[in-house]
Amino acid sequence: MTRMSTLVSLIVVAVLAFAGAVWLISWREAPNTAIDADQYRSPTGPVPAAPQRDGAPDAGRHALLNAPYVSCGIPYGAYRRLNRQTEPDALVTGREGRNAELPFALTSHVNEDGVEIVSNNCLTCHADRINGELILGLGNAFGDFTQDPSRLVLQAGNYVQGKAETKAWQHWADRIDSIAPYVQTKTVGVNPAPNLTWALMAHLDPETLAWSQIPLIDPPPVDPLPISVPPWWGMSKKNAMFYTTVGRGDHARFMLLASMLCIDGTKEVAEIDSYAADIRAYIVSLEAPEFPFAIDTGLAAEGEGIFVRECSACHGSYGEEETFPNRVYPVDEVGTDAAYASDATDGSRDRFFDWVARSPYGDIHSTAPAPGYIAPPLDGVWATAPYLHNGSVPSMAALLFSDLRPKYWRHQTDPRRYDPDILGWEHEALNLGQGAEKDPEARRQIYDTTLRGYGNAGHTYSDALNDQARAALLEYLKTL
Protein backbone atom coordinates (compact mmCIF):
# COMPACT_ATOMS: atom_id res chain seq x y z
CA MET A 1 0.00 0.00 0.00
CA THR A 2 1.34 3.43 -0.92
CA ARG A 3 1.94 6.15 1.62
CA MET A 4 -1.00 8.15 0.32
CA SER A 5 -3.34 5.16 0.19
CA THR A 6 -2.56 4.56 3.86
CA LEU A 7 -3.25 8.21 4.60
CA VAL A 8 -6.59 8.23 2.84
CA SER A 9 -7.76 5.05 4.55
CA LEU A 10 -7.09 6.70 7.90
CA ILE A 11 -9.48 9.55 7.19
CA VAL A 12 -12.31 7.26 8.30
CA VAL A 13 -15.19 8.55 6.26
CA ALA A 14 -16.75 5.11 6.57
CA VAL A 15 -20.06 6.29 7.93
CA LEU A 16 -21.82 3.67 5.79
CA ALA A 17 -20.37 0.99 8.04
CA PHE A 18 -21.94 2.72 11.03
CA ALA A 19 -23.82 0.24 13.16
CA GLY A 20 -26.09 2.25 15.35
CA ALA A 21 -26.47 5.98 15.76
CA VAL A 22 -28.71 7.71 13.25
CA TRP A 23 -31.26 7.16 10.56
CA LEU A 24 -32.88 9.22 7.83
CA ILE A 25 -36.63 9.13 7.30
CA SER A 26 -37.74 12.17 5.30
CA TRP A 27 -36.20 15.41 4.15
CA ARG A 28 -38.17 17.95 6.12
CA GLU A 29 -37.90 21.05 8.26
CA ALA A 30 -36.23 20.33 11.59
CA PRO A 31 -38.28 20.60 14.78
CA ASN A 32 -37.04 23.10 17.34
CA THR A 33 -37.68 21.14 20.51
CA ALA A 34 -35.89 18.20 22.04
CA ILE A 35 -37.67 14.86 22.40
CA ASP A 36 -38.23 12.96 25.62
CA ALA A 37 -35.20 10.69 25.98
CA ASP A 38 -37.35 7.79 27.16
CA GLN A 39 -38.56 7.45 23.57
CA TYR A 40 -35.07 6.67 22.28
CA ARG A 41 -35.50 2.95 22.83
CA SER A 42 -36.83 -0.02 20.90
CA PRO A 43 -37.91 -3.41 22.24
CA THR A 44 -36.26 -6.65 21.30
CA GLY A 45 -38.15 -8.92 18.94
CA PRO A 46 -39.08 -8.65 15.24
CA VAL A 47 -38.32 -5.42 13.38
CA PRO A 48 -41.14 -4.44 10.97
CA ALA A 49 -40.46 -3.51 7.37
CA ALA A 50 -40.75 0.08 6.13
CA PRO A 51 -41.47 1.36 2.61
CA GLN A 52 -38.40 2.07 0.49
CA ARG A 53 -37.97 4.46 -2.43
CA ASP A 54 -37.54 2.98 -5.87
CA GLY A 55 -34.21 3.43 -7.62
CA ALA A 56 -32.22 2.33 -10.65
CA PRO A 57 -29.37 -0.11 -9.83
CA ASP A 58 -27.21 0.84 -12.83
CA ALA A 59 -27.50 4.53 -12.00
CA GLY A 60 -26.73 3.69 -8.40
CA ARG A 61 -23.52 1.87 -9.26
CA HIS A 62 -22.47 4.82 -11.40
CA ALA A 63 -23.17 7.28 -8.57
CA LEU A 64 -21.44 5.09 -5.99
CA LEU A 65 -18.27 5.04 -8.09
CA ASN A 66 -18.30 8.57 -9.50
CA ALA A 67 -20.46 11.01 -7.51
CA PRO A 68 -18.87 13.49 -5.04
CA TYR A 69 -20.92 12.59 -1.96
CA VAL A 70 -17.80 13.22 0.16
CA SER A 71 -16.95 16.75 -0.94
CA CYS A 72 -13.67 17.48 0.83
CA GLY A 73 -10.28 15.83 0.60
CA ILE A 74 -6.76 16.32 -0.66
CA PRO A 75 -6.24 18.49 -3.75
CA TYR A 76 -5.50 16.31 -6.76
CA GLY A 77 -2.18 18.04 -7.44
CA ALA A 78 -0.91 17.15 -3.97
CA TYR A 79 -2.26 13.62 -4.32
CA ARG A 80 -0.32 13.06 -7.55
CA ARG A 81 2.84 14.51 -6.09
CA LEU A 82 2.62 11.72 -3.54
CA ASN A 83 1.30 9.01 -5.88
CA ARG A 84 2.67 9.07 -9.39
CA GLN A 85 0.58 6.16 -10.63
CA THR A 86 -2.25 3.81 -9.67
CA GLU A 87 -1.66 0.08 -9.42
CA PRO A 88 -3.71 -1.78 -12.06
CA ASP A 89 -5.39 -4.06 -9.50
CA ALA A 90 -6.79 -0.99 -7.72
CA LEU A 91 -8.90 0.01 -10.73
CA VAL A 92 -12.55 -0.95 -11.18
CA THR A 93 -14.82 -0.79 -14.21
CA GLY A 94 -17.65 1.71 -14.55
CA ARG A 95 -15.72 4.82 -13.65
CA GLU A 96 -15.47 7.94 -15.79
CA GLY A 97 -12.97 10.73 -16.40
CA ARG A 98 -10.35 11.12 -13.68
CA ASN A 99 -12.04 8.48 -11.56
CA ALA A 100 -11.11 5.83 -14.11
CA GLU A 101 -7.47 6.52 -13.17
CA LEU A 102 -7.91 6.43 -9.38
CA PRO A 103 -8.01 3.54 -6.91
CA PHE A 104 -11.52 2.19 -6.39
CA ALA A 105 -11.86 3.75 -2.91
CA LEU A 106 -11.11 7.30 -4.12
CA THR A 107 -13.26 9.74 -6.10
CA SER A 108 -12.35 12.97 -7.84
CA HIS A 109 -14.45 16.08 -8.40
CA VAL A 110 -13.92 19.82 -8.94
CA ASN A 111 -15.09 22.05 -6.08
CA GLU A 112 -16.80 25.43 -6.35
CA ASP A 113 -13.41 27.18 -6.41
CA GLY A 114 -12.24 25.14 -9.39
CA VAL A 115 -9.90 22.91 -7.37
CA GLU A 116 -9.91 19.22 -8.18
CA ILE A 117 -10.38 17.20 -4.99
CA VAL A 118 -9.66 13.52 -4.27
CA SER A 119 -11.79 12.09 -1.47
CA ASN A 120 -12.82 8.74 -0.07
CA ASN A 121 -15.91 6.96 -1.27
CA CYS A 122 -17.94 4.18 0.35
CA LEU A 123 -15.64 1.45 -0.94
CA THR A 124 -13.02 2.54 1.59
CA CYS A 125 -14.82 0.19 3.98
CA HIS A 126 -17.24 -1.68 1.74
CA ALA A 127 -14.93 -3.55 -0.62
CA ASP A 128 -12.19 -6.09 -0.04
CA ARG A 129 -10.32 -8.87 -1.81
CA ILE A 130 -10.38 -12.62 -1.35
CA ASN A 131 -7.77 -14.57 -3.31
CA GLY A 132 -7.03 -11.45 -5.33
CA GLU A 133 -10.64 -10.86 -6.41
CA LEU A 134 -12.15 -7.52 -5.45
CA ILE A 135 -15.66 -7.99 -4.04
CA LEU A 136 -17.80 -4.85 -3.95
CA GLY A 137 -19.97 -4.84 -0.84
CA LEU A 138 -17.65 -6.99 1.25
CA GLY A 139 -16.65 -5.31 4.51
CA ASN A 140 -12.97 -4.43 4.71
CA ALA A 141 -11.55 -6.72 7.40
CA PHE A 142 -8.09 -5.14 7.26
CA GLY A 143 -8.84 -1.41 7.52
CA ASP A 144 -6.39 0.45 9.73
CA PHE A 145 -7.92 3.09 11.99
CA THR A 146 -5.39 2.82 14.82
CA GLN A 147 -3.32 5.91 14.05
CA ASP A 148 -3.89 9.65 14.35
CA PRO A 149 -5.20 10.80 10.94
CA SER A 150 -4.58 14.50 11.65
CA ARG A 151 -0.83 13.95 11.79
CA LEU A 152 -0.83 12.42 8.32
CA VAL A 153 -3.15 15.08 6.93
CA LEU A 154 -0.68 17.71 8.09
CA GLN A 155 2.08 15.85 6.29
CA ALA A 156 0.01 15.92 3.11
CA GLY A 157 -0.27 19.69 3.48
CA ASN A 158 3.40 19.98 2.60
CA TYR A 159 2.50 19.06 -0.98
CA VAL A 160 -0.30 21.62 -1.43
CA GLN A 161 0.42 24.60 -3.70
CA GLY A 162 -1.33 27.96 -4.12
CA LYS A 163 -4.16 29.72 -2.28
CA ALA A 164 -7.03 27.74 -3.81
CA GLU A 165 -5.45 24.37 -3.03
CA THR A 166 -4.56 25.56 0.47
CA LYS A 167 -8.17 26.62 1.12
CA ALA A 168 -9.48 23.23 -0.03
CA TRP A 169 -6.90 21.36 2.03
CA GLN A 170 -7.68 23.50 5.10
CA HIS A 171 -11.39 22.61 4.91
CA TRP A 172 -10.47 18.93 4.93
CA ALA A 173 -7.79 19.33 7.61
CA ASP A 174 -10.12 21.21 9.97
CA ARG A 175 -12.68 18.40 9.83
CA ILE A 176 -10.09 15.66 10.35
CA ASP A 177 -8.51 17.57 13.23
CA SER A 178 -11.91 17.77 14.95
CA ILE A 179 -12.73 14.06 14.71
CA ALA A 180 -9.21 12.60 15.09
CA PRO A 181 -9.36 12.00 18.87
CA TYR A 182 -12.55 9.94 18.53
CA VAL A 183 -11.78 7.53 15.68
CA GLN A 184 -8.64 5.68 16.71
CA THR A 185 -9.32 2.01 17.37
CA LYS A 186 -7.11 -0.21 19.48
CA THR A 187 -6.49 -2.78 16.77
CA VAL A 188 -6.27 -3.05 13.01
CA GLY A 189 -9.31 -4.51 11.26
CA VAL A 190 -12.19 -3.00 13.23
CA ASN A 191 -14.16 0.11 12.34
CA PRO A 192 -14.89 3.26 14.44
CA ALA A 193 -17.79 4.57 12.33
CA PRO A 194 -20.33 5.12 15.17
CA ASN A 195 -17.91 7.36 17.07
CA LEU A 196 -17.03 9.16 13.86
CA THR A 197 -20.68 10.01 13.24
CA TRP A 198 -21.21 11.21 16.79
CA ALA A 199 -18.03 13.34 16.66
CA LEU A 200 -19.31 15.02 13.50
CA MET A 201 -22.72 15.65 15.08
CA ALA A 202 -21.00 17.44 17.95
CA HIS A 203 -19.71 20.04 15.46
CA LEU A 204 -22.78 20.41 13.22
CA ASP A 205 -25.82 22.53 14.02
CA PRO A 206 -28.69 20.04 13.77
CA GLU A 207 -31.08 22.48 12.10
CA THR A 208 -28.81 24.26 9.60
CA LEU A 209 -25.99 21.67 9.34
CA ALA A 210 -23.55 24.57 9.62
CA TRP A 211 -20.11 23.55 10.92
CA SER A 212 -18.70 24.85 14.21
CA GLN A 213 -15.04 24.29 14.96
CA ILE A 214 -15.99 24.38 18.66
CA PRO A 215 -18.25 21.47 19.68
CA LEU A 216 -21.90 22.41 20.16
CA ILE A 217 -22.63 19.34 22.30
CA ASP A 218 -20.32 17.02 24.20
CA PRO A 219 -18.35 14.80 21.80
CA PRO A 220 -18.37 11.02 22.25
CA PRO A 221 -15.78 9.11 24.32
CA VAL A 222 -12.31 9.02 22.81
CA ASP A 223 -12.27 5.21 22.78
CA PRO A 224 -14.49 4.01 19.91
CA LEU A 225 -16.09 0.60 20.30
CA PRO A 226 -15.03 -1.80 17.54
CA ILE A 227 -17.44 -2.63 14.72
CA SER A 228 -17.15 -5.28 12.01
CA VAL A 229 -18.43 -3.95 8.67
CA PRO A 230 -21.45 -6.03 7.55
CA PRO A 231 -21.71 -7.11 3.88
CA TRP A 232 -23.92 -5.04 1.62
CA TRP A 233 -25.66 -7.97 -0.04
CA GLY A 234 -27.55 -8.69 3.17
CA MET A 235 -29.39 -5.36 2.80
CA SER A 236 -32.06 -6.91 0.57
CA LYS A 237 -33.34 -8.84 3.61
CA LYS A 238 -32.87 -6.36 6.43
CA ASN A 239 -35.59 -4.16 7.90
CA ALA A 240 -33.01 -2.52 10.16
CA MET A 241 -29.63 -2.02 8.56
CA PHE A 242 -27.37 -2.52 11.53
CA TYR A 243 -26.69 -4.59 14.62
CA THR A 244 -29.51 -3.17 16.73
CA THR A 245 -32.86 -1.76 15.63
CA VAL A 246 -31.21 1.44 14.43
CA GLY A 247 -31.51 1.78 10.68
CA ARG A 248 -35.20 1.54 9.97
CA GLY A 249 -37.27 3.68 7.65
CA ASP A 250 -35.81 5.13 4.45
CA HIS A 251 -32.55 3.22 4.03
CA ALA A 252 -31.35 5.32 1.11
CA ARG A 253 -30.80 8.53 3.02
CA PHE A 254 -28.91 6.93 5.86
CA MET A 255 -26.44 5.45 3.39
CA LEU A 256 -25.38 8.95 2.37
CA LEU A 257 -24.30 9.94 5.86
CA ALA A 258 -20.77 9.56 4.53
CA SER A 259 -21.22 13.16 3.43
CA MET A 260 -21.26 14.32 7.06
CA LEU A 261 -17.48 14.60 7.11
CA CYS A 262 -17.56 17.58 4.77
CA ILE A 263 -21.14 18.85 4.87
CA ASP A 264 -21.81 22.51 5.60
CA GLY A 265 -25.50 23.15 5.01
CA THR A 266 -28.72 21.44 4.01
CA LYS A 267 -28.51 22.20 0.27
CA GLU A 268 -25.60 19.85 -0.29
CA VAL A 269 -27.31 17.00 1.55
CA ALA A 270 -30.48 17.45 -0.51
CA GLU A 271 -28.42 17.20 -3.70
CA ILE A 272 -26.84 13.96 -2.54
CA ASP A 273 -30.22 12.60 -1.51
CA SER A 274 -31.43 12.99 -5.11
CA TYR A 275 -29.48 9.88 -6.12
CA ALA A 276 -29.45 8.05 -2.79
CA ALA A 277 -32.33 5.73 -3.77
CA ASP A 278 -30.36 4.63 -6.84
CA ILE A 279 -27.38 3.71 -4.70
CA ARG A 280 -29.61 1.70 -2.39
CA ALA A 281 -31.14 -0.05 -5.39
CA TYR A 282 -27.67 -1.09 -6.52
CA ILE A 283 -26.72 -2.32 -3.06
CA VAL A 284 -29.83 -4.49 -2.66
CA SER A 285 -29.22 -5.92 -6.15
CA LEU A 286 -25.89 -7.38 -5.06
CA GLU A 287 -25.71 -11.13 -4.63
CA ALA A 288 -23.43 -12.94 -2.22
CA PRO A 289 -20.27 -14.35 -3.81
CA GLU A 290 -20.16 -18.11 -4.30
CA PHE A 291 -17.67 -20.15 -2.29
CA PRO A 292 -14.72 -20.53 -4.72
CA PHE A 293 -13.37 -23.83 -3.35
CA ALA A 294 -14.52 -27.44 -3.36
CA ILE A 295 -17.52 -28.41 -1.21
CA ASP A 296 -18.30 -31.88 0.14
CA THR A 297 -21.91 -32.00 -1.03
CA GLY A 298 -22.82 -35.02 1.07
CA LEU A 299 -21.50 -33.45 4.24
CA ALA A 300 -23.19 -30.16 3.34
CA ALA A 301 -26.52 -31.94 2.91
CA GLU A 302 -26.11 -33.39 6.40
CA GLY A 303 -25.29 -29.91 7.68
CA GLU A 304 -28.42 -28.41 6.13
CA GLY A 305 -30.62 -30.47 8.41
CA ILE A 306 -28.60 -29.37 11.43
CA PHE A 307 -28.87 -25.74 10.34
CA VAL A 308 -32.63 -25.93 9.92
CA ARG A 309 -32.97 -27.45 13.36
CA GLU A 310 -30.43 -25.35 15.26
CA CYS A 311 -29.95 -22.03 13.42
CA SER A 312 -32.82 -21.10 11.11
CA ALA A 313 -35.11 -19.69 13.82
CA CYS A 314 -32.64 -16.81 14.26
CA HIS A 315 -30.85 -16.59 10.91
CA GLY A 316 -33.60 -17.58 8.50
CA SER A 317 -33.90 -20.28 5.86
CA TYR A 318 -32.20 -20.49 2.47
CA GLY A 319 -32.99 -21.99 -0.90
CA GLU A 320 -36.08 -21.61 -3.07
CA GLU A 321 -38.33 -20.25 -0.31
CA GLU A 322 -36.07 -18.09 1.81
CA THR A 323 -37.12 -16.46 5.05
CA PHE A 324 -35.47 -14.00 7.41
CA PRO A 325 -37.00 -13.14 10.81
CA ASN A 326 -35.41 -9.67 11.29
CA ARG A 327 -35.41 -10.32 15.00
CA VAL A 328 -33.46 -8.61 17.79
CA TYR A 329 -32.30 -10.91 20.59
CA PRO A 330 -31.52 -9.58 24.09
CA VAL A 331 -27.86 -9.34 25.05
CA ASP A 332 -28.44 -11.71 27.95
CA GLU A 333 -29.78 -14.34 25.57
CA VAL A 334 -27.13 -14.24 22.86
CA GLY A 335 -24.29 -13.59 25.32
CA THR A 336 -22.03 -11.63 22.98
CA ASP A 337 -20.12 -8.53 24.05
CA ALA A 338 -22.73 -6.16 25.48
CA ALA A 339 -20.85 -2.86 25.32
CA TYR A 340 -22.18 -1.67 21.98
CA ALA A 341 -25.83 -2.38 22.78
CA SER A 342 -25.62 -1.17 26.38
CA ASP A 343 -23.89 2.10 25.50
CA ALA A 344 -26.60 2.81 22.95
CA THR A 345 -29.40 2.28 25.46
CA ASP A 346 -28.04 3.52 28.81
CA GLY A 347 -28.76 7.19 28.10
CA SER A 348 -25.15 8.20 27.48
CA ARG A 349 -25.77 8.65 23.73
CA ASP A 350 -29.19 10.31 23.93
CA ARG A 351 -27.80 13.73 22.99
CA PHE A 352 -26.95 12.30 19.56
CA PHE A 353 -30.41 10.80 19.13
CA ASP A 354 -31.84 14.17 20.11
CA TRP A 355 -29.57 15.77 17.49
CA VAL A 356 -31.14 13.58 14.81
CA ALA A 357 -34.67 14.34 15.99
CA ARG A 358 -33.94 18.08 15.70
CA SER A 359 -32.22 17.72 12.33
CA PRO A 360 -33.59 17.19 8.81
CA TYR A 361 -32.28 13.64 8.93
CA GLY A 362 -34.76 11.54 10.89
CA ASP A 363 -36.97 11.02 13.92
CA ILE A 364 -36.91 9.31 17.31
CA HIS A 365 -38.28 6.02 16.03
CA SER A 366 -35.66 5.42 13.36
CA THR A 367 -32.80 6.19 15.74
CA ALA A 368 -34.04 4.13 18.69
CA PRO A 369 -31.73 1.18 19.50
CA ALA A 370 -32.71 -2.00 21.29
CA PRO A 371 -30.75 -3.66 24.14
CA GLY A 372 -29.68 -6.53 21.93
CA TYR A 373 -28.47 -7.58 18.49
CA ILE A 374 -30.18 -8.69 15.29
CA ALA A 375 -29.14 -12.14 14.10
CA PRO A 376 -27.92 -11.33 10.56
CA PRO A 377 -28.76 -13.09 7.31
CA LEU A 378 -26.01 -15.56 6.39
CA ASP A 379 -25.83 -15.21 2.62
CA GLY A 380 -22.14 -15.36 1.70
CA VAL A 381 -21.21 -15.80 5.35
CA TRP A 382 -18.12 -17.75 4.32
CA ALA A 383 -16.56 -14.48 3.08
CA THR A 384 -17.33 -12.26 6.05
CA ALA A 385 -14.77 -13.24 8.70
CA PRO A 386 -13.96 -12.17 11.38
CA TYR A 387 -17.30 -12.85 13.08
CA LEU A 388 -19.65 -11.27 15.63
CA HIS A 389 -20.54 -7.58 15.59
CA ASN A 390 -17.08 -6.58 16.82
CA GLY A 391 -15.03 -8.93 14.62
CA SER A 392 -13.66 -10.74 17.66
CA VAL A 393 -13.80 -14.32 16.33
CA PRO A 394 -11.35 -14.91 13.46
CA SER A 395 -13.02 -17.93 11.83
CA MET A 396 -16.34 -19.70 11.46
CA ALA A 397 -14.79 -22.84 12.92
CA ALA A 398 -14.10 -20.88 16.12
CA LEU A 399 -17.55 -19.33 16.10
CA LEU A 400 -19.11 -22.80 15.99
CA PHE A 401 -16.94 -24.09 18.85
CA SER A 402 -15.98 -21.52 21.46
CA ASP A 403 -13.02 -23.57 22.76
CA LEU A 404 -11.22 -22.63 19.54
CA ARG A 405 -11.56 -18.88 20.04
CA PRO A 406 -8.19 -17.28 20.80
CA LYS A 407 -8.01 -14.80 23.65
CA TYR A 408 -5.35 -12.84 21.78
CA TRP A 409 -4.72 -13.10 18.04
CA ARG A 410 -3.55 -11.26 14.97
CA HIS A 411 -4.07 -11.57 11.24
CA GLN A 412 -1.33 -13.02 9.09
CA THR A 413 -0.78 -10.26 6.54
CA ASP A 414 2.49 -10.96 4.76
CA PRO A 415 0.84 -12.25 2.69
CA ARG A 416 -2.73 -12.49 3.89
CA ARG A 417 -4.45 -15.74 2.93
CA TYR A 418 -7.98 -17.02 3.22
CA ASP A 419 -8.31 -20.49 4.79
CA PRO A 420 -11.29 -22.36 3.26
CA ASP A 421 -11.15 -25.11 5.88
CA ILE A 422 -11.98 -22.82 8.79
CA LEU A 423 -13.83 -20.10 6.82
CA GLY A 424 -11.59 -17.29 7.92
CA TRP A 425 -8.33 -15.48 7.34
CA GLU A 426 -5.12 -17.15 8.42
CA HIS A 427 -4.24 -15.82 11.85
CA GLU A 428 -1.89 -16.44 14.76
CA ALA A 429 -3.05 -17.12 18.30
CA LEU A 430 -0.93 -15.27 20.85
CA ASN A 431 -0.08 -15.83 24.50
CA LEU A 432 -0.12 -12.18 25.57
CA GLY A 433 -2.38 -9.22 24.95
CA GLN A 434 -1.79 -5.58 24.14
CA GLY A 435 -0.80 -4.65 27.68
CA ALA A 436 2.27 -6.87 27.51
CA GLU A 437 3.42 -5.60 24.10
CA LYS A 438 5.88 -2.69 24.28
CA ASP A 439 6.23 -2.10 20.54
CA PRO A 440 3.37 0.22 19.41
CA GLU A 441 3.44 -1.16 15.86
CA ALA A 442 3.11 -4.75 17.09
CA ARG A 443 0.54 -3.79 19.73
CA ARG A 444 -1.97 -2.40 17.27
CA GLN A 445 -1.90 -5.67 15.31
CA ILE A 446 -3.17 -7.63 18.34
CA TYR A 447 -6.87 -8.31 18.77
CA ASP A 448 -7.18 -8.41 22.56
CA THR A 449 -10.54 -9.82 23.64
CA THR A 450 -10.03 -8.63 27.23
CA LEU A 451 -10.50 -4.99 26.18
CA ARG A 452 -13.89 -3.37 26.66
CA GLY A 453 -16.08 -3.94 23.63
CA TYR A 454 -13.67 -6.47 22.12
CA GLY A 455 -14.97 -9.57 23.91
CA ASN A 456 -15.46 -12.86 22.04
CA ALA A 457 -17.92 -14.59 24.37
CA GLY A 458 -21.46 -15.69 23.57
CA HIS A 459 -23.19 -17.35 20.63
CA THR A 460 -22.23 -20.77 22.00
CA TYR A 461 -25.27 -22.61 20.67
CA SER A 462 -23.26 -25.05 18.55
CA ASP A 463 -20.88 -25.98 21.38
CA ALA A 464 -23.34 -28.74 22.28
CA LEU A 465 -22.91 -30.41 18.88
CA ASN A 466 -20.36 -33.17 18.36
CA ASP A 467 -17.37 -32.74 16.04
CA GLN A 468 -19.10 -34.45 13.10
CA ALA A 469 -22.18 -32.27 13.37
CA ARG A 470 -20.11 -29.09 13.56
CA ALA A 471 -18.08 -30.16 10.53
CA ALA A 472 -21.30 -30.79 8.60
CA LEU A 473 -22.74 -27.42 9.66
CA LEU A 474 -19.55 -25.66 8.59
CA GLU A 475 -19.72 -27.36 5.19
CA TYR A 476 -23.32 -26.30 4.70
CA LEU A 477 -22.48 -22.67 5.48
CA LYS A 478 -20.13 -22.72 2.50
CA THR A 479 -23.14 -23.15 0.23
CA LEU A 480 -25.07 -20.05 1.36
Side-chain angles (χ1 to χ4, degrees), residues 65-131:
L65 297 175
N66 294 283
Y69 42 83
V70 179
S71 60
C72 64
I74 183 172
Y76 177 78
Y79 172 79
R80 275 303 179 208
R81 292 176 195 111
L82 286 163
N83 295 265
R84 297 297 181 183
Q85 61 184 13
T86 301
E87 296 299 325
D89 66 353
L91 301 174
V92 65
T93 61
R95 309 197 77 189
E96 297 178 346
R98 184 78 75 188
N99 292 324
E101 306 169 7
L102 291 174
F104 62 84
L106 299 177
T107 298
S108 167
H109 78 284
V110 177
N111 72 8
E112 60 183 12
D113 295 325
V115 177
E116 185 173 2
I117 299 296
V118 175
S119 57
N120 285 91
N121 61 42
C122 297
L123 300 184
T124 301
C125 296
H126 290 279
D128 205 356
R129 289 185 175 85
I130 295 182
N131 291 341

Side-chain angles (χ1 to χ4, degrees), residues 87-234:
E87 296 299 325
D89 66 353
L91 301 174
V92 65
T93 61
R95 309 197 77 189
E96 297 178 346
R98 184 78 75 188
N99 292 324
E101 306 169 7
L102 291 174
F104 62 84
L106 299 177
T107 298
S108 167
H109 78 284
V110 177
N111 72 8
E112 60 183 12
D113 295 325
V115 177
E116 185 173 2
I117 299 296
V118 175
S119 57
N120 285 91
N121 61 42
C122 297
L123 300 184
T124 301
C125 296
H126 290 279
D128 205 356
R129 289 185 175 85
I130 295 182
N131 291 341
E133 178 186 358
L134 180 67
I135 303 175
L136 301 189
L138 176 63
N140 183 353
F142 294 87
D144 184 358
F145 300 101
T146 61
Q147 302 183 64
D148 182 354
S150 61
R151 175 178 57 84
L152 298 175
V153 172
L154 289 174
Q155 291 176 4
N158 294 326
Y159 296 86
V160 173
Q161 297 179 352
K163 291 184 178 180
E165 281 195 3
T166 299
K167 178 183 176 183
W169 171 85
Q170 190 66 58
H171 179 202
W172 177 55
D174 286 346
R175 301 300 175 94
I176 299 302
D177 183 63
S178 296
I179 65 170
Y182 311 103
V183 297
Q184 298 169 52
T185 60
K186 292 185 180 300
T187 190
V188 172
V190 296
N191 197 287
N195 242 38
L196 165 60
T197 305
W198 293 328
L200 290 169
M201 287 179 182
H203 288 270
L204 286 166
D205 182 281
E207 297 177 18
T208 66
L209 300 185
W211 178 263
S212 170
Q213 201 63 28
I214 299 173
L216 302 174
I217 58 176
D218 288 340
V222 294
D223 263 347
L225 293 175
I227 292 297
S228 176
V229 183
W232 268 348
W233 53 79

Side-chain angles (χ1 to χ4, degrees), residues 31 268 341:
E268 183 180 351

Side-chain angles (χ1 to χ4, degrees), residues 17 34 37 47 73 87 99 105 116 147 149 246 280 286 300 354 385 426 458 463:
V47 179
E87 296 299 325
N99 292 324
E116 185 173 2
Q147 302 183 64
V246 170
R280 180 189 179 273
L286 292 173
D354 180 67
E426 290 188 359
D463 278 5

Side-chain angles (χ1 to χ4, degrees), residues 269-293:
V269 178
E271 292 172 353
I272 297 169
D273 183 66
S274 68
Y275 52 81
D278 292 334
I279 291 181
R280 180 189 179 273
Y282 169 67
I283 289 174
V284 299
S285 75
L286 292 173
E287 296 183 357
E290 294 186 3
F291 188 69
F293 306 97

